[in-house]
Amino acid sequence: MALNAKDYINDLIPNSGAIQAINDDFRHVFQELHLWSFYETVKTNLGVSQALIVEKDSAILGLPQEHVHLLNADHRHVCKFKDNSENNYITLRNAFASTIDQIEKEWLASTRDEYYASMKALTEYLGQGDMPDNDLANLLDQRMDGTCQWFTDDTDYNSWRTGAKDASKVLWLTGQPATGKSTIAAYVVKQLYDCNMDCGYFFFRHGDRSKSSVATMLRSFAYQMALTNPRIRSEILSMHDNGVAIDADDERTIWRSIFLTRIFRTDFHQPYFWIIDALDECTNLNCLLPMLARIDKSIPLRILVTSRPSSVIQTLILQERLHVLYKTLTVESSYQDIRCVLEANARFLPIDDPTACEALIARILDKANGCFLWATLVLKELEITHSEQQIQEVLDSVPGEMDSLYTRILDTMATVPRNQKLAQAILRWTVCAVRPLTVEELKEAIRLDLGEIIPRLERTVESVCGHLIHVDGSSRVQLVHQTVRAYLIQNDLTSDFAVNRVREHSRLAEVCLQYLCSDEMKSSRFRRRGSATRTAKKSVFADYAAIYFSEHIVRSSSSSDEQMARLHKFMDTNILSWIEIVALAGDLYFLTQTAKNLKAYMERRAKYRSPLGQEVHTVSSWVSDLIHLVTTFGRSLLISPSSIHFLVPPVCPRNSIIYQQYHEYPRCLEVVGQAELEWDDRLSCITFSECQVLAVACRDARFAIGLSDGRIILYHTSTCQEAGNLLHGTDAVRFLELGSANTFLASGGRRNVVLWDVIAGTKLWEASITQRLLGLGFNESDTLLIGTTVANCTKFWNVDNGHELETLLVSDQVEDESDGYQRPPSHAEICGELNLLAVGYRQRPINLWDLEDKSFIGQFHKSAPDVYPGPLLVAMVFNPNPDMNLAAASYQDGDLVVFDPWNQRQHAISEANAHVLAASPDGATLATGDSNGTIQVFDFETLRLLYRSCASDLDVRAIVFASNNVRFFDIRRDHCNVWEPSAIIRQTDSGDGSSEYCSEGIMPDVETSEARPWGDDETMTAMVSDGSDLLFCGKENGSVVVYDTKNGQQLQELYTHTTQTAIIILTWNLEGNILVSADRSSRFQVRKLSRLASGLWIAEEPLINQSIGQALRQALISSDGKMILLSAISSDQIWGLDGKQLATRTVAGRQSWRWINLPSSPPKLLLVTDGEVQHFDWQTLKCDHLPSTLNTTLGDRNHPPIANLVMSSKSSLVCAFFREPPGRQSRARLRLWTFLMKDEQDQGVKDLAEFDSIASNIKTVIGFHKDIGKGSIVLVRRDGIAVFHRGLEFEERFVMQKGGHVRNSEPKTYWSSPTLENHIDSPRAAYHQWERE
């Protein structure tokens, strides 16, 4: 377009060149736009004349799919409207609305599957199957128009809502019970939504476990905030995708991992509101207020809380110095709302005179005294009267207090004897149920309880129970108010409808066990091939009975022999079906909680009955097994719940009750070989050769190990599989610390500190240090990295850029003040959660510092303050739970002391001889390790010993807990042990309130574990089958032995390499009975074996015993048994059996490769490298350059390296498995190739099928199904083998569609077998993934 004025005016002429050019350019970019063109139809008054300023042909574009509409206006008023009823306004509004609807439909059509998948993942990750929407809807339905408006019109409320200057961010509404606080909270939510504000809400409900804890509230808020904020949703989904596990019942972990380190770091485009109702009904409200008090003022979060007046809450608010604006719900505040309700319902009363009606309303208002519930119940009773006289009688007889009103209602219920048992049952289940039952669930419960079927229960409950019970909008049966529960469970209530909790819980437990023992719960003892899960229809009551029966048992009488008999019958018959139902629900927490409840029940029962007998043994044994099933097979049970019937029992310890009862199921998996007699609390042991393990850290989904050679190895917390590796440098890694968000990892050596992004596997920054580190840690929000050195200096680094911000100089305060000498510290402990630093000096008291304001707090003296020298400090740790305010210190004299770091008062002392200490993230337990390898676990607060493990191993160097508060890791010299003791799981307090029924329990015995010592020299390092029932196995000590797969026992030792180093390669040739073994020192041996009549093998003298001078990666024997291929990283060599080297091929730069024999004549080799597939001659190692259709796909830059290559012995099929090494992106591919050797014109390797959709779930490829034979699987477990007979019978079929893609490819069991429809006579390829939790 021209720039001078005249040309510019000329360009505005219709159909000018400039306009035509603009229109032509626009035609190429408009396709994705929704176009609406509006034109004027009224001429504009120009003074002397009238005219259309923009004609229709100039106002529209004339493009396809353009919407054209007229507006009845001139040019001046085409976008001006008097009000929203004007026709032109309506036209534009409708155009916008229809366009937005169309855009939403198009967006949903293109992203529906992705959006639904992400929301499903979000729901499962945060455990939000039951949203508070129903509570909100029920309260809004109950609200009468015109009520609650006084609150939103209030000046203080509006100051809070708008964020007025100096206004508090927390508005606290208090009021007496049943005065309408919840309805006001619901109305505020509605008002905020109507104003297009972002809002989350939660309604606490006492007695409903799903709505009574802070952890549940926080997960609900996280879910609601993720719904409205895409950035928050992305952050939480990244946690899910990266395997960051959160403890659903640990509010501190949720607060730290989700809110502090993710949600509160997100940019908010407008304020976010939290509405928290009935906080006084929360079971652990003392955890919430410290969290609210520490929210940064810059975060635009405003909170409304409602509760009854509570001195406990007032005290907590004062302690935390929380700035709160209080509002009190007075009688006067409720007066107008109650009047509004009464006036709206007056038409249902038998009064025609308006004056009399007004007098009636005035009288009810006077007696209600501001109580909504009282007015509502009285109104319902008045609605069934028929005259003014009856109305007066009701009002005269109805008491003004709620308890007196409840008494009158119960007395009225007692006047109908035929309904009494039904009313008692409804009250029993409504008051004592762990969660509200649905109408259908209550129908089934009453059928089992009373033997009666109530067809219209939703209509019956209110009339039978005097309106104390109601059915909400979600068909849940609930009390009209929590005050009804408090009234009915009073110990001195004399009514027939009083709820004796111990008696009623016993009855509920009886009904639940009655169902669990029924035929409906029985499972078939015969496994049907191909049936992965049982789909038998279960009662609607099944889920409640299965999940919550133990909650009623633990709250019932422990002296009942009948209840014990029912419990024993259940565990002797249908317990596996029960475990399957719980696993199908997707949360194994209920198995753990059941074990905890039953243990408490049995300990309490021991006061009344002998702890001997078959019933006691069965129940006690299952308590132990349930805990171990979760820790050992938890992940597998969630993937395949039905595996509990036929896969899990045979692999359990021989003395476990699940093995003894169920390992002989028909056609069940059979396991022979190395087997444990008892459950092992040590789940795994990770060993490192030629280096020492110096540091360990764990947070959420990862744990990290620091080595003396400068490497850092990352592992998945749940599976203990390697997840990546980092290189700190040449310096040993002595400190490791993972950040709260599970994204940052800090590593420290003698000369530097490095910060890593563990997700990307990249170094963020590095800082040099001149003095040796004593401690390293993050602050609570992961914005600062803190390190303390031997120079009495604490440094603070900015996590974002590594800049050193400031320095805190510490010292032994009392001593330094006296003589000016600054003694170097010997210990330092940093606690980011508490912002505390502890510094220990040799034989001096512990100095405590506040890192937030850089101030000295005080000194803790184990002995008297004036005693010097004091005992030598050995180790120290803070309790990370801010509600406990505790720390622990261990001294050289053997004492373990717990004290308060703020006032330096001692709380507990015990003898432990501990050298290292670690606290669980929830602060409940304290683990110690000593120089003899013994680990002890204490209750942190009382130092009561919970568990002891005598590993008969090396000195424990460090201990760290996983985020689940149960699993922990210890490091000793060259290895790391993984522990998960069942004793800790049972001791973990879930905060569910069940302890109030267990106060009579006896002190449990301390559990002691004797871990089986590993024979490191006997560790299996290689394995190959001889083609029969025997295995050749190589060991760490250089020996080659023979195992029998029939019984899993070692038969003989064949020979030993003189180097006595680990055998890393074994290759066998059945044609010539040739065995090749190679060790870690690059030496290989070739031996011919002879078989005796007894079936044993004899090894002849070595045909070859040589070293090739470089580490071997693969050995292969030709099909005729006359030549051997040795492959190292820089060369490939062909050897003859006479010891002569026949051919050599030098290579450079390859990272991954695999050789394989091809069934051809003359013999050929197939080599798969990073970029291509090549064919070689066996004798010359010359490349044949046969045609291949694979090179183009293998040459892809994103193609993962080859991991495994297997060929069928009876056909020309090749299975190639590609996978990234641990720590990189989890890219994997699984391909099936065919090798053709028909003639010179048609030969080479061609694609047959791809199974990439399941490749990421595969660990390794075993072989082809028909080649394996009897379907047995052999696993090496350290120094022995375990043989799984009939293992490959447990399979799941995947049918390949045209194009090689897989249908039904989500694996539900451990094994999967594809059936290839488009290739005749092709064997089924078997893929196997076996992981030990």
Side-chain angles (χ1 to χ4, degrees):
M1 183 176 290
L3 298 178
N4 63 69
K6 288 186 177 181
D7 289 341
Y8 174 78
I9 297 298
N10 293 333
D11 287 338
L12 295 178
I13 298 174
N15 300 319
S16 68
I19 291 178
Q20 291 295 335
I22 294 173
N23 289 339
D24 290 340
D25 290 340
F26 187 69
R27 293 177 191 276
H28 299 291
V29 297
F30 83 94
Q31 288 82 3
E32 301 296 327
L33 301 177
H34 292 261
L35 296 177
W36 283 80
S37 295
F38 299 91
Y39 61 92
E40 60 197 66
T41 58
V42 177
K43 295 180 179 181
T44 302
N45 187 357
L46 302 177
V48 296
S49 65
Q50 294 181 336
L52 293 175
I53 304 301
V54 179
E55 298 286 347
K56 178 181 178 181
D57 57 351
S58 295
I60 65 177
L61 300 173
L63 295 174
Q65 301 179 352
E66 177 186 10
H67 300 276
V68 178
H69 206 286
L70 62 86
L71 292 177
N72 187 24
D74 61 19
H75 191 76
R76 291 193 183 99
H77 299 88
V78 73
C79 289
K80 295 180 180 180
F81 316 105
K82 295 179 180 179
D83 52 46
N84 57 12
S85 64
E86 187 176 330
N87 289 335
N88 288 342
Y89 172 86
I90 295 173
T91 299
L92 286 174
R93 183 200 62 190
N94 293 343
F96 282 126
S98 62
T99 302
I100 292 171
D101 289 342
Q102 183 63 28
I103 292 173
E104 288 181 344
K105 290 177 182 178
E106 293 174 357
W107 179 82
L108 286 175
S110 62
T111 62
R112 181 185 290 109
D113 293 342
E114 179 183 353
Y115 176 76
Y116 286 160
S118 65
M119 295 313 301
K120 179 181 179 183
L122 192 68
T123 301
E124 293 176 351
Y125 185 63
L126 295 174
Q128 289 303 295
D130 186 17
M131 283 287 293
D133 299 23
N134 295 327
D135 294 326
L136 178 65
N138 292 331
L139 288 167
L140 291 177
D141 287 343
Q142 296 171 15
R143 175 187 165 269
M144 193 70 63
D145 288 341
T147 60
C148 304
Q149 292 181 357
W150 64 269
F151 183 76
T152 55
D153 291 339
D154 183 78
T155 304
D156 290 336
Y157 167 82
N158 283 286
S159 297
W160 166 80
R161 185 182 66 82
T162 59
K165 185 178 180 181
D166 299 328
S168 172
K169 290 188 175 183
V170 180
L171 179 61
W172 208 292
L173 176 65
T174 61
Q176 294 300 320
T179 53
K181 298 184 297 296
S182 298
T183 305
I184 291 175
Y187 179 68
V188 169
V189 173
K190 179 181 181 300
Q191 289 296 302
L192 292 173
Y193 278 151
D194 290 345
C195 295
N196 200 29
M197 306 299 289
D198 291 335
C199 174
Y201 50 90
F202 191 82
F203 299 91
F204 281 104
R205 293 294 179 266
H206 180 74
D208 186 346
R209 170 174 291 175
S210 64
K211 299 174 183 177
S212 60
S213 70
V214 172
T216 307
M217 182 201 74
L218 292 176
R219 286 187 285 112
S220 178
F221 279 144
Y223 181 80
Q224 294 177 72
M225 297 180 81
L227 290 180
T228 58
N229 191 315
R231 290 185 291 273
I232 292 177
R233 182 163 64 249
S234 176
E235 285 288 336
I236 299 178
L237 286 174
S238 70
M239 295 176 65
H240 171 270
D241 296 339
N242 293 322
V244 179
I246 57 172
D247 186 346
D249 297 311
D250 185 356
E251 60 279 345
R252 291 192 315 106
T253 299
I254 297 169
W255 182 255
R256 184 190 67 245
S257 301
I258 297 180
F259 287 92
L260 289 183
T261 58
R262 287 180 172 85
I263 290 180
F264 290 160
R265 291 188 181 182
T266 305
D267 293 332
F268 292 86
H269 63 277
Q270 65 176 355
Y272 199 96
F273 294 86
W274 282 1
I275 311 301
I276 305 172
D277 178 58
L279 182 63
D280 52 294
E281 297 183 26
C282 174
T283 57
N284 55 344
L285 61 89
N286 58 309
C287 301
L288 177 61
L289 293 177
M291 296 176 183
L292 301 183
R294 290 199 294 271
I295 296 176
D296 192 279
K297 294 181 180 179
S298 62
I299 298 171
L301 179 65
R302 297 167 197 166
I303 304 170
L304 170 66
V305 181
T306 73
S307 71
R308 304 178 189 181
S310 169
S311 59
V312 174
I313 295 177
Q314 291 281 357
T315 302
L316 289 172
I317 291 174
L318 292 175
Q319 289 177 350
E320 299 299 331
R321 300 177 182 177
L322 185 63
H323 184 203
V324 173
L325 175 61
Y326 292 99
K327 295 292 293 183
T328 302
L329 189 57
T330 62
V331 173
E332 292 76 14
S333 303
S334 302
Y335 184 90
Q336 188 58 41
D337 286 348
I338 298 176
R339 167 177 284 279
C340 186
V341 172
L342 294 174
E343 289 176 347
N345 289 275
R347 66 182 185 275
F348 300 111
L349 302 178
I351 298 179
D352 295 329
D353 182 15
T355 304
C357 184
E358 180 62 30
L360 174 62
I361 291 175
R363 186 175 179 188
I364 295 175
L365 280 171
D366 182 59
K367 296 195 69 171
N369 196 31
C371 181
F372 257 103
L373 180 60
W374 186 96
T376 302
L377 291 174
V378 169
L379 191 60
K380 288 183 177 180
E381 189 166 351
L382 292 176
E383 287 175 357
I384 60 175
T385 59
H386 304 286
S387 66
E388 293 188 21
Q389 289 75 17
Q390 290 180 348
I391 290 176
Q392 295 303 322
E393 290 175 3
V394 169
L395 289 178
D396 290 339
S397 60
V398 170
E401 298 296 328
M402 287 305 304
D403 282 3
S404 301
L405 177 58
Y406 293 150
T407 301
R408 181 179 181 277
I409 293 174
L410 296 184
D411 292 341
T412 304
M413 290 164 55
T415 61
V416 188
R418 66 177 181 274
N419 293 337
Q420 188 164 335
K421 286 187 177 180
L422 178 59
Q424 288 171 339
I426 294 173
L427 290 174
R428 172 165 58 239
W429 284 96
T430 307
V431 171
C432 295
V434 180
R435 62 160 174 81
L437 299 177
T438 65
V439 171
E440 295 302 318
E441 286 175 330
L442 185 58
K443 281 183 184 179
E444 185 65 14
I446 291 176
R447 185 187 68 80
L448 294 170
D449 192 352
L450 302 180
E452 298 181 11
I453 299 176
I454 313 298
R456 294 186 178 87
L457 185 62
E458 61 275 11
R459 300 182 182 179
T460 305
V461 290
E462 291 194 23
S463 59
V464 169
C465 298
H467 302 293
L468 297 179
I469 308 290
H470 77 108
V471 178
D472 65 18
S474 302
S475 295
R476 296 175 302 178
V477 182
Q478 304 211 54
L479 297 168
V480 293
H481 198 268
Q482 293 303 316
T483 54
V484 178
R485 182 193 309 275
Y487 173 78
L488 291 175
I489 64 176
Q490 293 179 101
N491 293 329
D492 56 351
L493 185 61
T494 58
S495 172
D496 291 337
F497 300 99
V499 176
N500 182 305
R501 284 183 292 175
V502 173
R503 181 188 65 211
E504 305 302 353
H505 277 297
S506 297
R507 180 57 184 162
L508 267 60
E510 179 183 347
V511 173
C512 290
L513 288 173
Q514 175 186 337
Y515 174 78
L516 294 176
C517 294
S518 66
D519 291 342
E520 188 175 299
M521 284 288 294
K522 288 184 178 179
S523 62
S524 172
R525 289 182 62 88
F526 296 93
R527 176 175 58 87
R528 295 189 178 94
R529 181 186 291 269
S531 60
T533 56
R534 261 153 288 276
T535 57
K537 185 175 178 59
K538 296 286 193 299
S539 165
V540 293
F541 186 65
D543 285 345
Y544 184 88
I547 291 175
Y548 297 116
F549 82 95
S550 69
E551 299 292 344
H552 298 299
I553 288 178
V554 77
R555 291 163 168 79
S556 63
S557 172
S558 55
S559 60
S560 171
D561 294 332
E562 293 79 7
Q563 180 134 289
M564 190 67 185
R566 285 189 292 268
L567 185 58
H568 175 262
K569 179 183 178 182
F570 159 64
M571 292 188 165
D572 207 33
T573 54
N574 295 342
I575 191 167
L576 294 189
S577 297
W578 167 72
I579 294 174
E580 182 182 13
I581 287 179
V582 175
L584 282 169
D587 191 353
L588 299 184
Y589 159 80
F590 296 108
L591 294 183
T592 301
Q593 186 61 29
T594 296
K596 176 187 172 185
N597 289 337
L598 295 182
K599 179 178 174 63
Y601 173 79
M602 295 302 293
E603 289 173 351
R604 200 172 72 241
R605 179 178 168 79
K607 294 188 64 175
Y608 305 99
R609 297 290 187 271
S610 169
L612 303 176
Q614 185 60 41
E615 292 178 348
V616 174
H617 171 74
T618 299
V619 175
S620 300
S621 298
W622 272 110
V623 167
S624 175
D625 279 15
L626 288 176
I627 297 294
H628 286 99
L629 285 172
V630 173
T631 59
T632 308
F633 302 106
R635 189 162 179 249
S636 301
L637 285 173
L638 291 175
I639 294 173
S640 177
S642 63
S643 63
I644 189 63
H645 294 276
F646 305 104
L647 289 176
V648 172
V651 298
C652 291
R654 298 297 187 260
N655 291 341
S656 66
I657 193 167
I658 185 175
Y659 178 87
Q660 293 173 359
Q661 286 187 197
Y662 297 107
H663 79 281
E664 293 183 346
Y665 256 38
R667 294 184 63 204
C668 192
L669 185 71
E670 180 185 357
V671 183
V672 298
Q674 187 185 70
E676 301 289 348
L677 295 179
E678 305 291 345
W679 292 104
D680 190 356
D681 290 331
R682 179 161 61 172
L683 301 183
S684 183
C685 177
I686 305 170
T687 304
F688 301 89
S689 58
E690 302 176 357
C691 62
Q692 298 286 300
V693 183
L694 301 179
V696 62
C698 182
R699 180 84 73 173
D700 298 330
R702 293 178 180 83
F703 71 95
I705 292 175
L707 303 177
S708 58
D709 60 4
R711 288 182 296 149
I712 302 169
I713 314 297
L714 299 171
Y715 294 89
H716 294 290
T717 303
S718 60
T719 63
C720 298
Q721 290 185 332
E722 187 174 333
N725 53 79
L726 308 169
L727 183 60
H728 175 84
T730 58
D731 199 10
V733 181
R734 300 183 179 277
F735 294 91
L736 285 175
E737 188 73 21
L738 278 160
S740 300
N742 203 33
T743 300
F744 299 128
L745 170 68
S747 59
R750 289 188 179 275
R751 292 183 292 271
N752 64 339
V753 172
V754 181
L755 187 71
W756 306 86
D757 182 333
V758 294
I759 304 296
T762 57
K763 181 190 293 187
L764 299 177
W765 52 262
E766 180 177 354
S768 299
I769 54 175
T770 57
Q771 299 291 336
R772 179 169 60 91
L773 276 176
L774 289 177
L776 192 66
F778 290 93
N779 67 341
E780 188 177 23
S781 57
D782 284 0
T783 56
L784 296 176
L785 180 64
I786 309 167
T788 300
T789 71
V790 294
N792 282 299
C793 175
T794 298
K795 298 177 179 291
F796 298 82
W797 291 279
N798 187 315
V799 166
D800 293 333
N801 50 36
H803 293 165
E804 188 172 329
L805 301 178
E806 54 188 322
T807 298
L808 170 65
L809 297 178
V810 299
S811 63
D812 184 357
Q813 289 290 294
V814 176
E815 185 183 53
D816 291 349
E817 289 175 2
S818 60
D819 56 18
Y821 169 70
Q822 290 196 350
R823 180 191 297 265
S826 58
H827 293 82
E829 181 70 20
I830 299 168
C831 182
E833 290 86 353
L834 304 178
N835 278 320
L836 287 178
L837 167 67
V839 182
Y841 298 84
R842 183 176 179 83
Q843 296 182 314
R844 293 290 300 163
I846 299 172
N847 289 258
L848 298 158
W849 297 79
D850 187 334
L851 293 176
E852 188 170 9
D853 56 15
K854 314 298 185 300
S855 62
F856 176 71
I857 298 174
Q859 290 184 324
F860 171 73
H861 299 258
K862 176 180 177 288
S863 53
D866 55 349
V867 175
Y868 182 84
L872 182 64
L873 179 67
V874 177
M876 184 186 164
V877 67
F878 285 104
N879 188 311
N881 189 336
D883 300 323
M884 300 184 74
N885 290 328
L886 294 175
S890 179
Y891 293 88
Q892 193 176 37
D893 60 7
D895 284 346
L896 177 64
V897 179
V898 171
F899 64 93
D900 187 325
W902 295 102
N903 58 28
Q904 298 88 53
R905 292 179 182 174
Q906 181 174 302
H907 277 234
I909 187 170
S910 178
E911 184 175 356
N913 295 305
H915 288 185
V916 295
L917 302 176
S920 61
D922 63 357
T925 52
L926 172 68
T928 70
D930 64 21
S931 58
N932 297 319
T934 299
I935 289 179
Q936 300 182 95
V937 179
F938 298 84
D939 177 274
F940 202 119
E941 194 168 8
T942 64
L943 288 184
R944 178 170 64 88
L945 183 62
L946 306 176
Y947 172 80
R948 179 186 293 113
S949 170
C950 304
S952 302
D953 211 334
L954 306 170
D955 179 25
V956 181
R957 185 168 283 160
I959 302 174
V960 63
F961 273 89
S963 296
N964 67 355
N965 303 301
V966 177
R967 181 170 294 189
F968 61 86
F969 310 84
D970 78 61
I971 56 175
R972 317 174 187 219
R973 190 173 293 179
D974 63 347
H975 62 271
C976 171
N977 294 314
V978 185
W979 302 85
E980 193 157 319
S982 59
I984 302 181
I985 298 177
R986 291 198 291 266
Q987 293 294 334
T988 302
D989 184 11
S990 64
D992 56 10
S994 60
S995 58
E996 66 178 287
Y997 301 96
C998 309
S999 59
E1000 299 178 1
I1002 61 176
M1003 187 69 68
D1005 295 332
V1006 176
E1007 288 197 17
T1008 302
S1009 168
E1010 294 284 349
R1012 184 174 72 86
W1014 303 119
D1016 288 338
D1017 290 342
E1018 299 291 322
T1019 299
M1020 300 282 192
T1021 53
M1023 177 174 62
V1024 67
S1025 171
D1026 74 341
S1028 65
D1029 292 323
L1030 301 183
L1031 289 174
F1032 301 122
C1033 299
K1035 294 192 174 184
E1036 183 73 31
N1037 59 12
S1039 64
V1040 178
V1041 299
V1042 180
Y1043 273 82
D1044 187 351
T1045 60
K1046 293 179 180 178
N1047 55 28
Q1049 301 301 314
Q1050 180 177 323
L1051 294 181
Q1052 62 181 124
E1053 181 175 321
L1054 286 176
Y1055 59 89
T1056 301
H1057 280 220
T1058 56
T1059 58
Q1060 295 187 342
T1061 56
I1063 304 296
I1064 59 174
I1065 295 174
L1066 283 176
T1067 303
W1068 170 252
N1069 177 266
L1070 186 60
E1071 184 74 20
N1073 287 348
I1074 301 297
L1075 181 66
V1076 177
S1077 57
D1079 60 38
R1080 193 175 282 128
S1081 69
S1082 305
R1083 179 168 292 276
F1084 73 99
Q1085 292 189 18
V1086 180
R1087 292 181 184 250
K1088 186 175 180 63
L1089 305 186
S1090 302
R1091 195 160 193 174
L1092 302 176
S1094 63
L1096 298 180
W1097 289 97
I1098 291 182
E1100 300 178 5
E1101 288 299 314
L1103 299 175
I1104 307 176
N1105 186 359
Q1106 294 283 344
S1107 174
I1108 66 169
Q1110 52 183 315
L1112 280 170
R1113 297 280 291 271
Q1114 189 180 3
L1116 203 62
I1117 306 175
S1118 62
S1119 56
D1120 58 8
K1122 296 180 179 179
M1123 293 174 286
I1124 299 164
L1125 168 70
L1126 301 176
S1127 184
I1129 193 167
S1130 60
S1131 69
D1132 300 309
Q1133 303 175 12
I1134 300 292
W1135 291 67
L1137 295 184
D1138 57 1
K1140 294 181 180 179
Q1141 188 171 327
L1142 305 179
T1144 300
R1145 174 176 174 268
T1146 302
V1147 294
R1150 62 181 177 183
Q1151 298 297 320
S1152 63
W1153 71 97
R1154 285 291 186 277
W1155 290 92
I1156 195 171
N1157 272 316
L1158 290 178
S1160 58
S1161 182
K1164 299 289 182 181
L1165 285 163
L1166 181 72
L1167 173 64
V1168 180
T1169 61
D1170 294 333
E1172 59 182 351
V1173 175
Q1174 296 174 300
H1175 309 77
F1176 289 82
D1177 181 80
W1178 250 106
Q1179 292 185 338
T1180 64
L1181 271 185
K1182 291 184 177 180
C1183 182
D1184 289 343
H1185 298 289
L1186 295 181
S1188 171
T1189 63
L1190 308 177
N1191 291 350
T1192 56
T1193 58
L1194 292 181
D1196 180 7
R1197 289 179 57 189
N1198 294 322
H1199 201 287
I1202 182 71
N1204 202 3
L1205 199 63
V1206 177
M1207 186 161 194
S1208 171
S1209 64
K1210 300 176 183 178
S1211 71
S1212 57
L1213 287 179
V1214 178
C1215 183
F1217 179 48
F1218 303 85
R1219 187 166 191 170
E1220 290 284 4
R1224 302 184 184 178
Q1225 297 178 357
S1226 57
R1227 292 183 291 126
R1229 297 182 183 180
L1230 183 66
R1231 301 296 169 87
L1232 195 62
W1233 301 334
T1234 180
F1235 182 76
L1236 304 177
M1237 291 292 293
K1238 296 180 180 179
D1239 51 53
E1240 293 184 359
Q1241 285 75 32
D1242 188 11
Q1243 55 182 308
V1245 179
K1246 295 184 179 180
D1247 268 314
L1248 180 63
E1250 61 91 359
F1251 301 95
D1252 294 348
S1253 58
I1254 62 171
S1256 60
N1257 294 321
I1258 296 173
K1259 184 175 182 180
T1260 188
V1261 177
I1262 296 178
F1264 286 81
H1265 189 267
K1266 289 185 179 180
D1267 296 345
I1268 297 176
K1270 296 182 180 180
S1272 297
I1273 297 175
V1274 180
L1275 298 180
V1276 170
R1277 186 170 182 265
R1278 297 290 297 191
D1279 53 356
I1281 67 170
V1283 185
F1284 296 77
H1285 294 302
R1286 296 193 297 273
L1288 292 182
E1289 295 181 11
F1290 293 82
E1291 64 183 39
E1292 184 165 318
R1293 297 177 183 271
F1294 298 95
V1295 180
M1296 187 187 70
Q1297 298 175 323
K1298 291 182 179 180
H1301 298 287
V1302 177
R1303 184 171 73 244
N1304 301 330
S1305 61
E1306 183 180 355
K1308 297 297 185 185
T1309 59
Y1310 301 104
W1311 296 271
S1312 55
S1313 303
T1315 301
L1316 308 176
E1317 294 180 335
N1318 61 348
H1319 191 272
I1320 301 175
D1321 298 328
S1322 295
R1324 294 176 297 164
Y1327 312 105
H1328 164 57
Q1329 178 180 1
W1330 183 277
E1331 295 179 356
R1332 173 161 182 152
E1333 294 278 351

